[in-house]
Amino acid sequence: MFKKIIDGFIDHPFLTSIFVVDFFILLLHTPPFFFALIMLAGLVGMSMYLGQKLALFNL
């Protein structure tokens, strides 16, 4: 499962870089509330997209 996540990140370098930068800005920096809300929404959206694209759990 871990290898599948890493391969998914390597296959989508642009989304991965945006995801990582967005995550670390929210983690280490305190942006204004509205900007942080937009960044959090983007982070959730990218997480849902990558989760759907990787399909880690096939039911």
Side-chain angles (χ1 to χ4, degrees):
M1 182 169 77
F2 186 70
K3 181 168 175 22
K4 195 171 187 180
I5 293 171
I6 297 298
D7 288 341
F9 282 150
I10 291 172
D11 290 343
H12 301 90
F14 183 70
L15 287 178
T16 301
S17 63
I18 292 174
F19 183 83
V20 169
V21 168
D22 192 9
F23 179 75
F24 281 113
I25 286 174
L26 285 174
L27 186 66
L28 301 175
H29 183 65
T30 309
F33 177 74
F34 187 67
F35 185 63
L37 195 63
I38 291 172
M39 289 177 67
L40 186 62
L43 193 63
V44 168
M46 283 187 285
S47 298
M48 289 173 22
Y49 173 77
L50 287 172
Q52 182 69 27
K53 200 73 166 160
L54 296 175
L56 295 174
F57 305 106
N58 295 326
L59 297 177

